[in-house]
């Protein structure tokens, strides 16, 4: 499997005909990173150990294992079942399309392939897969957020209960002290030096009849909240403006100067979180509608009242107030957190920019350091054997030309150029006899020693941290497309693309130096073409032809 770049969406092409792979590579290489396999078994084997592609273009008719079997196997494997598969085949019958869709394919494209149709369908299915991945990620994040929210709500509820219990205990102690010294029933307002959360809850009773206020004070005696009274709406507003923790307002409706509805409407601007109730002996429909629409009441009670019913209603109103205040506090905390988040994001953005700048500077230094090391090793190769050095320079020029034709990224081009310059660095330690003779004249022992030089070359460059990326390319530069090469006997897409390019460039240079005459380039081109599918990947033939014309000179 050959990977062209890790930066874009990756497509795996599976087809047993190299020419078909070449066509698809030429159609898609501008927009995607491409991988390929020449059989179903090879595709499954490589998918098991390589980075998974984002989409698979699969030929239906292949020997040994056809596309339908490959697709079914992919869908049975949890690691590959999500990858969209598009069948590409010359078969046009409904039965073949039905079979492909039944195997798990998402689409079906007929040969001969139209580039616009292919690119459009590939784009649609890649975008669909990206949306599915994004939705899955969003669902995961939402589930985690909900889980955290539940935990926070439980914690806040426990905290509220603790605060309420503490307030009840403080109020009970104060009430007991008040009873002992003969203090009036009316509880004094909280002292201003206490934090708001530590002040006991208070209810405000407003009525123009003193006997009603006295009755309410007696009824609420012993409850875990304080009671303050006012004989008019105006007096009630004055109390609200001076108090901070009034959780409930219980007001008469018919009062001189200001009705209960008008009073509660004004009270809403002073103490918006307080629960509001009307206690009246004249509960007509207009009173009810006005109290709800203008006063914002949560309950309307009638006189005479039932003590237990009134107590339970007031307790519920105070609980409502506590929840409202807690919600307001959480909103304020959230707003502050969001504001801090923006500040933190700006700080992080500045830090990231700084890190990027530092990384760029380090990368520039690393690039210079890499060039210096490559130059020193190439000079060492030149001192060891002049012919090796000249060979490596020409191989680097040929490889660079092919990389340009294949439109690989600049970073890959530099990596392959460095590897080409040093591909024979493992030969600096062999005997002069090996360097002087052609391969066909070497003894069995000499041949075995010669075949170790790609591994020795990899080991040598891997001692330099800056060159570790090219070690595998050097190791692969004698591997053959059909698996007959050395040192590992790799085949097809198992060989790194850089290693394949360097092998082909080395073959071209060695063949050209053995030929004479004006038709040397033509003979080399014929020789290269004859080895396509055996020594070399057929998809590199066009790039090799351009390199031969541009680089080789008589």
């Amino acid at each position: 499997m050959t990977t062209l770049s890790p930066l874009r969406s990756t497509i795996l092409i599976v087809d047993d005909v190299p020419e078909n792979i070449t066509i698809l590579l030429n159609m898609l290489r501008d927009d995607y990173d491409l991988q390929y396999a020449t059989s179903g078994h090879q595709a499954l084997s490589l998918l098991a150990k390589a980075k998974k592609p984002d989409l698979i273009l699969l030929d239906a008719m292949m020997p040994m294992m056809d596309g339908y079997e490959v697709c079914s196997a992919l869908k049975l494997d949890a690691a590959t079942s999500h990858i969209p598969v598009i069948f590409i085949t010359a078969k046009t019958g409904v039965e073949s399309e039905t079979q492909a869709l039944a195997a798990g394919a998402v689409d079906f494209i007929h040969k001969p392939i139209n580039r616009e149709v292919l690119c459009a369908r590939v784009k649609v299915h890649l975008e669909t897969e990206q949306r599915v991945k994004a939705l899955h990620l969003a669902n995961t994040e939402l589930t985690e957020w909900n889980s955290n929210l539940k935990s926070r709500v439980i914690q806040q509820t426990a905290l509220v209960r603790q605060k309420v219990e503490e307030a009840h205990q403080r109020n009970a102690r104060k009430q007991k002290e008040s009873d002992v010294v003969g203090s009036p029933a009316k509880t004094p307002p909280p002292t201003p030096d206490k934090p708001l959360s530590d002040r006991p809850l208070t209810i405000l009773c407003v009525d123009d009849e003193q006997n009603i206020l006295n009755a309410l004070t007696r009824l609420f005696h012993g409850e875990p909240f304080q009671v303050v009274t006012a004989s008019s709406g105006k007096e009630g507003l004055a109390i609200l403006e001076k108090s901070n923790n009034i959780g409930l307002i219980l007001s008469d409706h018919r009062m001189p100067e200001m009705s209960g509805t008008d009073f509660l409407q004004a009270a809403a601007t002073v103490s918006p979180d307080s629960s509001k109730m009307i206690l009246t002996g004249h509960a007509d429909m207009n009173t009810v509608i006005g109290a709800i629409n203008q006063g914002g009441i949560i309950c309307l009670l009638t006189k005479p009242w039932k003590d237990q019913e009134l107590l339970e209603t007031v307790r519920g109103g105070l609980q409502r107030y506590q929840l409202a205040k807690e919600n307001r506090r959480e909103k304020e905390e959230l707003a502050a957190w969001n504001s801090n988040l923006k500040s933190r994001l700006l700080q992080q953005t500045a830090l990231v920019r700084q890190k990027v700048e530092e990384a760029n500077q380090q990368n520039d230094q690393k690039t210079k350091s890499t060039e210096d090391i490559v130059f020193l090793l190439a000079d060492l190769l030149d001192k060891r054997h002049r012919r090796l050095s000249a060979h490596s320079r020409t191989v680097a020029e040929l490889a660079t030309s092919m990389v340009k034709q294949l439109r690989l990224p600049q970073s890959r081009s530099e990596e392959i150029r460095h590897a080409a310059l040093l591909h024979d660095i493992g030969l600096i330690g062999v005997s002069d006899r090996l360097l002087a003779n052609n391969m066909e004249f070497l003894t069995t022992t000499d041949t075995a020693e010669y075949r170790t030089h790609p591994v020795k070359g990899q080991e040598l460059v891997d001692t330099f941290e800056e060159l570790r990326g090219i070690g595998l390319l050097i190791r692969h530069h004698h591997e053959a497309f059909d698996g007959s090469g050395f040192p590992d006997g790799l085949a097809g897409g198992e060989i790194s693309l850089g290693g394949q390019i360097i092998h082909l460039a080395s073959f071209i240079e060695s063949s050209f130096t053995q030929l004479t005459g004006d038709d040397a380039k033509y003979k080399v081109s014929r020789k290269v073409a004859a080895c396509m599918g055996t020594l070399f990947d057929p998809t590199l033939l066009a790039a090799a032809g351009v390199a031969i014309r541009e680089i080789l000179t008589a």
Side-chain angles (χ1 to χ4, degrees):
M1 187 180 294
T2 303
T3 304
L4 300 185
S5 169
L7 302 178
R8 304 177 294 179
S9 295
T10 302
I11 298 174
L12 168 62
I13 301 169
V14 185
D15 199 307
D16 61 315
V17 180
E19 290 78 4
N20 292 340
I21 294 177
T22 301
I23 291 172
L24 292 172
L25 287 174
N26 291 333
M27 288 183 176
L28 298 171
R29 64 162 37 105
D30 287 347
D31 300 312
Y32 305 102
D33 295 341
L34 303 176
Q35 305 170 335
Y36 64 85
T38 56
S39 71
H41 288 293
Q42 186 187 45
L44 294 178
S45 175
L46 294 174
L47 281 169
K49 58 185 178 182
K51 177 184 176 183
K52 304 297 184 292
D54 300 296
L55 183 140
I56 298 174
L57 297 177
L58 181 60
D59 184 28
M61 303 305 296
M62 295 185 293
M64 303 294 293
M65 186 179 196
D66 63 25
Y68 307 109
E69 294 175 288
V70 175
C71 189
S72 297
L74 291 174
K75 297 307 173 182
L76 290 175
D77 187 344
T80 57
S81 61
H82 67 284
I83 303 175
V85 177
I86 299 178
F87 270 77
I88 296 183
T89 182
K91 298 180 70 175
T92 59
V94 174
E95 182 179 352
S96 60
E97 292 191 22
T98 303
Q99 186 178 359
L101 295 174
V106 298
D107 208 341
F108 202 99
I109 299 177
H110 296 288
K111 298 177 182 177
I113 301 170
N114 179 284
R115 185 180 186 279
E116 286 71 22
V117 172
L118 173 68
C119 292
R121 293 191 178 182
V122 166
K123 181 180 179 181
V124 166
H125 289 296
L126 283 174
E127 289 177 348
T128 300
E129 178 64 16
Q130 289 171 356
R131 292 191 187 99
V132 170
K133 289 181 180 178
L135 181 60
H136 177 73
L137 178 61
N139 285 336
T140 302
E141 292 176 348
L142 181 60
T143 300
E144 182 179 354
W145 190 89
N146 285 337
S147 176
N148 294 336
L149 176 63
K150 181 179 179 181
S151 176
R152 291 197 300 272
V153 169
I154 292 174
Q155 292 174 356
Q156 291 298 332
T157 301
L159 181 61
V160 169
R161 287 174 178 170
Q162 177 185 347
K163 294 296 184 182
V164 171
E165 181 63 26
E166 291 173 356
H168 288 176
Q169 292 174 0
R170 285 193 300 271
N171 191 63
R173 288 195 299 269
K174 289 185 178 182
Q175 189 66 50
K176 185 176 180 180
E177 294 171 359
S178 177
D179 290 343
V180 171
V181 300
S183 301
K186 182 185 294 186
T187 305
T191 55
D193 57 329
K194 288 186 177 182
L196 181 60
S197 60
D198 290 338
R199 296 171 187 170
L201 283 173
T202 303
I203 70 169
L204 170 62
C205 299
V206 182
D207 201 299
D208 60 325
E209 297 183 29
Q210 187 60 43
N211 62 324
I212 296 295
L213 296 176
N214 293 338
L216 291 173
T217 301
R218 287 193 299 271
L219 175 63
F220 296 139
H221 180 74
E223 289 294 311
F225 51 80
Q226 297 180 350
V227 180
V228 293
T229 61
S231 58
S232 67
K234 183 178 180 180
E235 183 182 352
L237 290 175
I239 292 174
L240 287 174
E241 291 175 352
K242 297 177 181 179
S243 303
N244 289 315
N245 206 27
I246 292 182
L248 183 140
I249 304 171
L250 183 62
S251 174
D252 184 24
H253 177 59
R254 288 191 175 181
M255 296 184 294
E257 297 183 2
M258 182 182 292
S259 69
T261 299
D262 293 338
F263 162 64
L264 292 177
Q265 185 176 4
T269 61
V270 180
S271 184
D273 292 330
S274 299
S275 298
K276 302 170 185 65
M277 300 181 183
I278 287 285
L279 181 64
T280 180
H282 307 279
D284 56 77
M285 185 57 67
N286 291 332
T287 299
V288 174
I289 294 174
I292 294 174
N293 293 340
Q294 300 175 35
I297 68 167
I298 63 171
C299 186
L300 188 144
L301 302 168
T302 58
K303 300 174 183 177
W305 61 82
K306 294 181 180 180
D307 287 354
Q308 190 59 36
E309 179 181 341
L310 180 57
L311 281 171
E312 292 178 356
T313 303
V314 167
R315 291 167 186 164
L318 287 173
Q319 290 179 353
R320 180 189 179 98
Y321 166 75
Q322 288 174 318
L323 289 175
K325 286 197 66 90
E326 185 61 29
N327 287 337
R328 181 186 293 275
R329 185 187 66 79
E330 289 189 354
K331 288 180 180 178
E332 291 173 351
E333 290 180 354
L334 180 60
W337 190 88
N338 286 336
S339 176
N340 292 335
L341 175 62
K342 181 179 180 180
S343 175
R344 290 196 299 271
L345 284 176
L346 292 174
Q347 293 174 357
Q348 289 297 324
T349 300
L351 181 61
V352 168
R353 287 175 178 167
Q354 177 184 346
K355 294 295 184 183
V356 169
E357 181 63 27
E358 293 174 356
N360 288 338
Q361 294 175 358
Q362 293 174 359
N363 189 57
D364 292 341
Q365 294 173 357
K366 182 179 179 181
T367 299
K368 185 178 184 302
S369 175
T370 301
E371 289 287 345
D372 291 342
I373 295 172
V374 170
F375 175 80
L376 289 174
L377 290 176
D379 185 61
L380 180 63
L381 190 64
D382 183 63
K383 288 181 170 59
R384 178 66 181 87
H385 197 281
R386 186 62 58 86
R387 166 65 189 138
L388 281 179
S389 177
H391 167 75
S392 295
R393 287 195 297 271
T394 305
V395 169
E397 293 178 6
L398 289 164
T400 301
S401 175
M402 283 189 275
V403 165
K404 181 179 179 182
Q405 297 305 312
L406 295 172
R407 299 180 182 176
L408 300 188
Q410 179 64 27
S411 59
R412 296 293 302 279
S413 177
E414 286 299 295
E415 182 180 77
I416 293 172
R417 183 177 68 85
H418 291 158
L421 284 169
L422 302 178
H423 73 281
D424 277 336
I425 193 68
L427 290 173
I428 63 174
V430 303
S431 64
D432 291 340
R433 184 180 67 259
L434 266 66
L435 298 178
N437 293 327
N438 291 327
M439 281 291 295
E440 56 264 28
F441 301 123
L442 296 180
T443 65
T444 302
T445 302
D446 289 343
T447 300
E449 182 181 357
Y450 178 82
R451 285 173 169 259
T452 65
H453 83 268
V455 176
K456 292 179 178 177
Q458 180 188 24
E459 292 173 350
L460 176 59
V461 299
D462 279 351
T463 60
F464 300 93
E465 182 178 354
E466 295 85 348
L467 301 184
R468 286 177 185 168
I470 70 174
L472 191 64
L473 280 61
I474 292 175
R475 185 186 184 100
H476 287 176
H477 84 271
H478 273 296
E479 299 289 355
F481 189 74
D482 62 359
S484 63
F486 61 89
D488 302 310
L490 303 180
E494 295 175 315
I495 311 168
S496 63
L497 178 59
Q500 295 185 59
I501 291 173
I502 295 170
H503 185 194
L504 178 53
S506 178
F507 179 85
I508 292 171
E509 198 280 338
S510 298
S511 299
F512 185 72
T513 56
Q514 298 173 15
L515 298 171
T516 58
D518 296 336
D519 61 347
K521 289 186 180 182
Y522 171 75
K523 290 179 179 179
V524 171
S525 298
R526 291 289 302 273
K527 193 172 181 180
V528 168
C531 294
M532 288 296 164
T534 54
L535 292 182
F536 309 116
D537 183 346
T539 62
L540 301 178
L541 179 59
V546 174
I548 290 171
R549 293 192 298 271
E550 288 183 350
I551 305 302
L552 297 184
T553 57

